[in-house]
Amino acid sequence: MNNEDNTNYGLDVNLICEFFMGMDRQGPGSPDMTVKALSFIEGLDERSRIADLGCGTGGQTMTLAEACPAQITAIDNYPGFIDKLNHEVQAKGLQARVNGLVGTMEEPPFEPGSLDLIWCEGAIYNIGFERGIRLWYPLLKEGGYLALTESCWLTEERPKEIHAFWMEGYPEIGTILVKQEQLKQAGYQLVSTFVLPESCWTDNYYQPIATWKETFRAKHPGNRSVEELLRFLELETNMYRRYQAYYGYVFFIAKKC
Ligand code: SAH
């Protein structure tokens, strides 16, 4: 989901956001994988500062808040997502240390050298992986961590159809080795890399989309933009079903040194 130019594969981003407001996650992932990535990060305590960039409605923000005692600022540029996140924060009584803010990940509102950890699940592609990791590096303390997911090719070669699909949506998709090299070139030390399991896409993303689609369609009878969005989501789901051997989301955990 890219809010920058108000389109994504030519679709209306506000409509995409309205659709995803109805879901717990806005991208593939799971609480287990968030906790697994967090397990590679040492030394977090109640004074540690975490920024969760492109947080959406805060699925992973809540997991982080429950799994560690740090201060968390969650940033997204879609105000509806931040409203939903802050409601959840209030409901869980976490407002003393978890805060959602409307803002852009291109200019996160943090002082240089102030963060112990930058988290970003399924969102860095909005500004581009290489640009993002370089832009965020100065915000980390020495020894601070970056943990993010990025869509990667899992093989060196792939069928033309899936290649073309990604070239239209995110031409910066690359192999795991390419992304690791970019992290090293940007000054990070690699800590861990793992591929998200299929269930993060199917059970936690495409299945909830399929269920919510019918309710959303019923709320917008005869709306052509809605039909276009739902057709695109079906296309994306089918692409994953057919070509999942060739691409996936990969968690990268890296350290500023
Ligand atoms: N981390 C969440 C959401 C991923 S979807 C999850 O995994 O469920 C990508 C998110 O990035 C969306 O919530 C979208 O609104 C947000 N986004 C897009 N461009 C952005 C930008 N420039 N700055 C901040 N957030 C942005």
Side-chain angles (χ1 to χ4, degrees):
M1 204 187 305
N2 178 340
N3 304 351
E4 291 305 296
D5 57 4
N6 260 356
T7 64
N8 191 331
Y9 282 93
L11 299 162
D12 176 349
V13 166
N14 285 324
L15 189 64
I16 300 179
C17 288
E18 189 192 329
F19 179 85
F20 279 98
M21 278 282 283
M23 306 214 348
D24 292 337
R25 301 197 62 93
Q26 289 70 45
S30 77
D32 283 356
M33 291 302 115
T34 298
V35 169
K36 177 172 174 178
L38 190 65
S39 73
F40 295 102
I41 291 155
E42 289 172 354
L44 293 176
D45 60 27
E46 41 293 304
R47 285 162 310 160
S48 305
R49 307 195 75 86
I50 303 178
D52 181 7
L53 303 179
C55 59
T57 59
Q60 73 290 310
T61 319
M62 293 304 158
T63 303
L64 290 173
E66 281 156 19
C68 82
Q71 307 286 323
I72 306 176
T73 306
I75 306 278
D76 201 281
N77 68 355
Y78 186 66
F81 290 163
I82 292 296
D83 281 350
K84 188 171 171 183
L85 183 153
N86 280 332
H87 268 107
E88 184 80 359
V89 166
Q90 293 280 341
K92 295 201 162 140
L94 290 166
Q95 59 275 22
R97 62 183 188 90
V98 183
N99 186 24
L101 291 179
V102 178
T104 170
M105 64 176 106
E106 279 171 298
E107 287 176 54
F110 306 100
E111 295 298 317
S114 65
L115 296 170
D116 297 277
L117 170 61
I118 294 178
W119 203 269
C120 182
E121 288 196 37
I124 196 171
Y125 73 92
N126 286 296
I127 60 170
F129 180 86
E130 198 163 18
R131 181 165 168 240
I133 60 173
R134 288 177 179 270
L135 207 61
W136 301 342
Y137 187 84
L139 305 179
L140 288 171
K141 292 178 185 167
E142 292 298 316
Y145 290 84
L146 172 67
L148 55 76
T149 57
E150 165 78 339
S151 34
C152 292
W153 294 126
L154 302 178
T155 57
E156 287 300 326
E157 303 205 342
R158 60 214 64 107
K160 278 200 182 77
E161 187 179 24
I162 192 60
H163 188 82
F165 181 75
W166 275 97
M167 286 308 112
E168 192 189 340
Y170 185 49
E172 213 187 314
I173 183 173
T175 60
I176 294 174
L177 282 176
V178 165
K179 301 285 167 181
Q180 287 177 326
E181 193 50 38
Q182 288 173 342
L183 282 163
K184 285 193 247 170
Q185 291 299 326
Y188 296 92
Q189 179 191 325
L190 299 175
V191 174
S192 181
T193 302
F194 60 90
V195 180
L196 293 190
E198 183 191 344
S199 59
C200 286
W201 294 76
T202 50
D203 302 354
N204 296 354
Y205 191 57
Y206 290 132
Q207 188 49 51
I209 286 178
T211 309
W212 175 233
K213 244 171 36 188
E214 296 318 317
T215 313
F216 197 70
R217 178 176 275 133
K219 282 171 77 172
H220 297 276
N223 182 322
R224 286 174 58 183
S225 303
V226 168
E227 289 308 320
E228 207 184 329
L229 168 63
L230 299 186
R231 257 200 312 279
F232 176 77
L233 290 170
E234 261 156 46
L235 171 70
E236 195 195 302
T237 310
N238 284 331
M239 286 288 172
Y240 184 73
R241 201 167 285 141
R242 289 166 59 205
Y243 294 119
Q244 59 179 273
Y246 300 96
Y247 66 97
Y249 256 118
V250 178
F251 236 120
F252 294 92
I253 297 99
K255 192 171 181 176
K256 177 172 180 171
C257 49

mmCIF file of all heavy atoms in Angstrom, residues 145-166:
data_model
loop_
_atom_site.group_PDB
_atom_site.id
_atom_site.type_symbol
_atom_site.label_atom_id
_atom_site.label_comp_id
_atom_site.label_asym_id
_atom_site.label_seq_id
_atom_site.Cartn_x
_atom_site.Cartn_y
_atom_site.Cartn_z
ATOM 1 N N TYR A 145 19.155 -1.151 16.637
ATOM 2 C CA TYR A 145 18.766 -2.183 15.676
ATOM 3 C C TYR A 145 17.725 -1.694 14.672
ATOM 4 O O TYR A 145 16.913 -0.812 14.981
ATOM 5 C CB TYR A 145 18.153 -3.372 16.403
ATOM 6 C CG TYR A 145 19.097 -4.196 17.221
ATOM 7 C CD1 TYR A 145 19.418 -3.820 18.538
ATOM 8 C CD2 TYR A 145 19.641 -5.372 16.713
ATOM 9 C CE1 TYR A 145 20.263 -4.601 19.315
ATOM 10 C CE2 TYR A 145 20.495 -6.157 17.494
ATOM 11 C CZ TYR A 145 20.795 -5.772 18.783
ATOM 12 O OH TYR A 145 21.621 -6.549 19.553
ATOM 13 N N LEU A 146 17.742 -2.362 13.527
ATOM 14 C CA LEU A 146 16.698 -2.195 12.521
ATOM 15 C C LEU A 146 16.088 -3.576 12.288
ATOM 16 O O LEU A 146 16.829 -4.549 12.108
ATOM 17 C CB LEU A 146 17.341 -1.686 11.224
ATOM 18 C CG LEU A 146 16.463 -1.609 9.977
ATOM 19 C CD1 LEU A 146 15.377 -0.542 10.153
ATOM 20 C CD2 LEU A 146 17.322 -1.263 8.751
ATOM 21 N N ALA A 147 14.757 -3.673 12.338
ATOM 22 C CA ALA A 147 14.094 -4.953 12.039
ATOM 23 C C ALA A 147 12.979 -4.651 11.057
ATOM 24 O O ALA A 147 12.095 -3.842 11.347
ATOM 25 C CB ALA A 147 13.536 -5.583 13.314
ATOM 26 N N LEU A 148 13.027 -5.288 9.891
ATOM 27 C CA LEU A 148 12.005 -4.980 8.885
ATOM 28 C C LEU A 148 11.712 -6.177 8.001
ATOM 29 O O LEU A 148 12.516 -7.110 7.908
ATOM 30 C CB LEU A 148 12.438 -3.785 8.033
ATOM 31 C CG LEU A 148 13.765 -3.798 7.316
ATOM 32 C CD1 LEU A 148 13.740 -4.672 6.081
ATOM 33 C CD2 LEU A 148 14.137 -2.380 6.900
ATOM 34 N N THR A 149 10.536 -6.126 7.373
ATOM 35 C CA THR A 149 10.246 -7.132 6.348
ATOM 36 C C THR A 149 10.225 -6.455 4.988
ATOM 37 O O THR A 149 9.809 -5.313 4.845
ATOM 38 C CB THR A 149 8.908 -7.869 6.574
ATOM 39 O OG1 THR A 149 7.837 -6.919 6.626
ATOM 40 C CG2 THR A 149 8.926 -8.676 7.850
ATOM 41 N N GLU A 150 10.702 -7.224 4.003
ATOM 42 C CA GLU A 150 10.798 -6.710 2.634
ATOM 43 C C GLU A 150 10.465 -7.869 1.693
ATOM 44 O O GLU A 150 10.873 -9.009 1.941
ATOM 45 C CB GLU A 150 12.230 -6.204 2.403
ATOM 46 C CG GLU A 150 12.634 -5.959 0.965
ATOM 47 C CD GLU A 150 12.104 -4.642 0.381
ATOM 48 O OE1 GLU A 150 11.113 -4.081 0.913
ATOM 49 O OE2 GLU A 150 12.667 -4.196 -0.624
ATOM 50 N N SER A 151 9.737 -7.573 0.618
ATOM 51 C CA SER A 151 9.458 -8.642 -0.341
ATOM 52 C C SER A 151 10.714 -8.918 -1.159
ATOM 53 O O SER A 151 11.378 -7.995 -1.624
ATOM 54 C CB SER A 151 8.278 -8.283 -1.244
ATOM 55 O OG SER A 151 8.258 -6.918 -1.500
ATOM 56 N N CYS A 152 11.032 -10.206 -1.267
ATOM 57 C CA CYS A 152 12.278 -10.621 -1.932
ATOM 58 C C CYS A 152 12.004 -11.751 -2.909
ATOM 59 O O CYS A 152 11.113 -12.579 -2.687
ATOM 60 C CB CYS A 152 13.275 -11.169 -0.908
ATOM 61 S SG CYS A 152 13.926 -9.941 0.215
ATOM 62 N N TRP A 153 12.815 -11.810 -3.941
ATOM 63 C CA TRP A 153 12.840 -13.013 -4.777
ATOM 64 C C TRP A 153 13.519 -14.124 -3.989
ATOM 65 O O TRP A 153 14.559 -13.889 -3.362
ATOM 66 C CB TRP A 153 13.626 -12.755 -6.060
ATOM 67 C CG TRP A 153 13.038 -11.774 -7.007
ATOM 68 C CD1 TRP A 153 13.661 -10.680 -7.519
ATOM 69 C CD2 TRP A 153 11.741 -11.810 -7.611
ATOM 70 N NE1 TRP A 153 12.830 -10.026 -8.386
ATOM 71 C CE2 TRP A 153 11.638 -10.692 -8.464
ATOM 72 C CE3 TRP A 153 10.635 -12.658 -7.521
ATOM 73 C CZ2 TRP A 153 10.494 -10.404 -9.211
ATOM 74 C CZ3 TRP A 153 9.501 -12.380 -8.260
ATOM 75 C CH2 TRP A 153 9.423 -11.274 -9.092
ATOM 76 N N LEU A 154 12.925 -15.317 -4.047
ATOM 77 C CA LEU A 154 13.509 -16.453 -3.314
ATOM 78 C C LEU A 154 14.362 -17.322 -4.227
ATOM 79 O O LEU A 154 15.008 -18.265 -3.764
ATOM 80 C CB LEU A 154 12.394 -17.283 -2.675
ATOM 81 C CG LEU A 154 11.480 -16.519 -1.694
ATOM 82 C CD1 LEU A 154 10.378 -17.427 -1.157
ATOM 83 C CD2 LEU A 154 12.287 -15.918 -0.529
ATOM 84 N N THR A 155 14.331 -17.034 -5.534
ATOM 85 C CA THR A 155 15.119 -17.804 -6.502
ATOM 86 C C THR A 155 15.822 -16.828 -7.435
ATOM 87 O O THR A 155 15.413 -15.672 -7.556
ATOM 88 C CB THR A 155 14.190 -18.711 -7.348
ATOM 89 O OG1 THR A 155 13.219 -17.867 -7.983
ATOM 90 C CG2 THR A 155 13.476 -19.754 -6.508
ATOM 91 N N GLU A 156 16.858 -17.319 -8.114
ATOM 92 C CA GLU A 156 17.588 -16.439 -9.045
ATOM 93 C C GLU A 156 16.785 -16.187 -10.312
ATOM 94 O O GLU A 156 16.927 -15.161 -10.959
ATOM 95 C CB GLU A 156 18.945 -17.062 -9.404
ATOM 96 C CG GLU A 156 19.970 -17.001 -8.278
ATOM 97 C CD GLU A 156 20.300 -15.569 -7.839
ATOM 98 O OE1 GLU A 156 20.298 -14.652 -8.683
ATOM 99 O OE2 GLU A 156 20.541 -15.372 -6.626
ATOM 100 N N GLU A 157 15.926 -17.170 -10.695
ATOM 101 C CA GLU A 157 15.142 -17.022 -11.928
ATOM 102 C C GLU A 157 13.680 -17.232 -11.615
ATOM 103 O O GLU A 157 13.340 -17.844 -10.600
ATOM 104 C CB GLU A 157 15.597 -18.069 -12.938
ATOM 105 C CG GLU A 157 17.064 -17.932 -13.201
ATOM 106 C CD GLU A 157 17.487 -18.455 -14.528
ATOM 107 O OE1 GLU A 157 16.730 -19.240 -15.133
ATOM 108 O OE2 GLU A 157 18.592 -18.070 -14.953
ATOM 109 N N ARG A 158 12.811 -16.719 -12.503
ATOM 110 C CA ARG A 158 11.377 -16.811 -12.230
ATOM 111 C C ARG A 158 10.573 -16.640 -13.509
ATOM 112 O O ARG A 158 11.072 -16.046 -14.475
ATOM 113 C CB ARG A 158 10.962 -15.749 -11.215
ATOM 114 C CG ARG A 158 11.236 -14.347 -11.676
ATOM 115 C CD ARG A 158 11.625 -13.430 -10.545
ATOM 116 N NE ARG A 158 12.865 -13.803 -9.911
ATOM 117 C CZ ARG A 158 14.005 -13.106 -10.072
ATOM 118 N NH1 ARG A 158 14.058 -12.062 -10.839
ATOM 119 N NH2 ARG A 158 15.101 -13.488 -9.449
ATOM 120 N N PRO A 159 9.317 -17.134 -13.494
ATOM 121 C CA PRO A 159 8.484 -16.992 -14.700
ATOM 122 C C PRO A 159 8.213 -15.519 -15.036
ATOM 123 O O PRO A 159 8.129 -14.680 -14.139
ATOM 124 C CB PRO A 159 7.181 -17.706 -14.310
ATOM 125 C CG PRO A 159 7.562 -18.626 -13.193
ATOM 126 C CD PRO A 159 8.671 -17.939 -12.448
ATOM 127 N N LYS A 160 8.063 -15.271 -16.342
ATOM 128 C CA LYS A 160 7.868 -13.890 -16.833
ATOM 129 C C LYS A 160 6.675 -13.208 -16.188
ATOM 130 O O LYS A 160 6.721 -12.026 -15.872
ATOM 131 C CB LYS A 160 7.620 -13.933 -18.348
ATOM 132 C CG LYS A 160 8.858 -14.037 -19.190
ATOM 133 C CD LYS A 160 8.534 -13.573 -20.628
ATOM 134 C CE LYS A 160 9.731 -13.707 -21.538
ATOM 135 N NZ LYS A 160 9.977 -15.103 -21.953
ATOM 136 N N GLU A 161 5.572 -13.963 -16.004
ATOM 137 C CA GLU A 161 4.328 -13.333 -15.534
ATOM 138 C C GLU A 161 4.510 -12.710 -14.141
ATOM 139 O O GLU A 161 4.109 -11.570 -13.906
ATOM 140 C CB GLU A 161 3.196 -14.360 -15.492
ATOM 141 C CG GLU A 161 1.865 -13.713 -15.187
ATOM 142 C CD GLU A 161 0.694 -14.701 -15.148
ATOM 143 O OE1 GLU A 161 0.943 -15.911 -14.902
ATOM 144 O OE2 GLU A 161 -0.438 -14.261 -15.341
ATOM 145 N N ILE A 162 5.153 -13.442 -13.244
ATOM 146 C CA ILE A 162 5.304 -12.907 -11.881
ATOM 147 C C ILE A 162 6.385 -11.827 -11.858
ATOM 148 O O ILE A 162 6.289 -10.855 -11.101
ATOM 149 C CB ILE A 162 5.556 -14.038 -10.837
ATOM 150 C CG1 ILE A 162 5.402 -13.485 -9.420
ATOM 151 C CG2 ILE A 162 6.911 -14.713 -11.023
ATOM 152 C CD1 ILE A 162 4.041 -12.918 -9.093
ATOM 153 N N HIS A 163 7.356 -11.965 -12.724
ATOM 154 C CA HIS A 163 8.379 -10.925 -12.821
ATOM 155 C C HIS A 163 7.719 -9.601 -13.236
ATOM 156 O O HIS A 163 7.917 -8.564 -12.597
ATOM 157 C CB HIS A 163 9.455 -11.345 -13.827
ATOM 158 C CG HIS A 163 10.630 -10.418 -13.846
ATOM 159 N ND1 HIS A 163 11.650 -10.509 -12.938
ATOM 160 C CD2 HIS A 163 10.914 -9.350 -14.629
ATOM 161 C CE1 HIS A 163 12.526 -9.549 -13.165
ATOM 162 N NE2 HIS A 163 12.087 -8.824 -14.187
ATOM 163 N N ALA A 164 6.890 -9.664 -14.266
ATOM 164 C CA ALA A 164 6.230 -8.453 -14.783
ATOM 165 C C ALA A 164 5.304 -7.841 -13.723
ATOM 166 O O ALA A 164 5.238 -6.619 -13.559
ATOM 167 C CB ALA A 164 5.444 -8.790 -16.043
ATOM 168 N N PHE A 165 4.603 -8.694 -12.972
ATOM 169 C CA PHE A 165 3.682 -8.213 -11.934
ATOM 170 C C PHE A 165 4.434 -7.372 -10.901
ATOM 171 O O PHE A 165 4.017 -6.285 -10.522
ATOM 172 C CB PHE A 165 3.012 -9.428 -11.274
ATOM 173 C CG PHE A 165 2.009 -9.080 -10.205
ATOM 174 C CD1 PHE A 165 0.753 -8.590 -10.540
ATOM 175 C CD2 PHE A 165 2.318 -9.240 -8.855
ATOM 176 C CE1 PHE A 165 -0.172 -8.269 -9.555
ATOM 177 C CE2 PHE A 165 1.398 -8.925 -7.866
ATOM 178 C CZ PHE A 165 0.151 -8.444 -8.222
ATOM 179 N N TRP A 166 5.588 -7.878 -10.482
ATOM 180 C CA TRP A 166 6.358 -7.144 -9.463
ATOM 181 C C TRP A 166 7.055 -5.920 -10.046
ATOM 182 O O TRP A 166 7.210 -4.911 -9.366
ATOM 183 C CB TRP A 166 7.359 -8.082 -8.778
ATOM 184 C CG TRP A 166 6.721 -8.819 -7.647
ATOM 185 C CD1 TRP A 166 6.210 -10.075 -7.686
ATOM 186 C CD2 TRP A 166 6.480 -8.322 -6.323
ATOM 187 N NE1 TRP A 166 5.672 -10.401 -6.469
ATOM 188 C CE2 TRP A 166 5.824 -9.345 -5.606
ATOM 189 C CE3 TRP A 166 6.758 -7.121 -5.677
ATOM 190 C CZ2 TRP A 166 5.444 -9.202 -4.271
ATOM 191 C CZ3 TRP A 166 6.378 -6.973 -4.340
ATOM 192 C CH2 TRP A 166 5.720 -8.005 -3.660
#
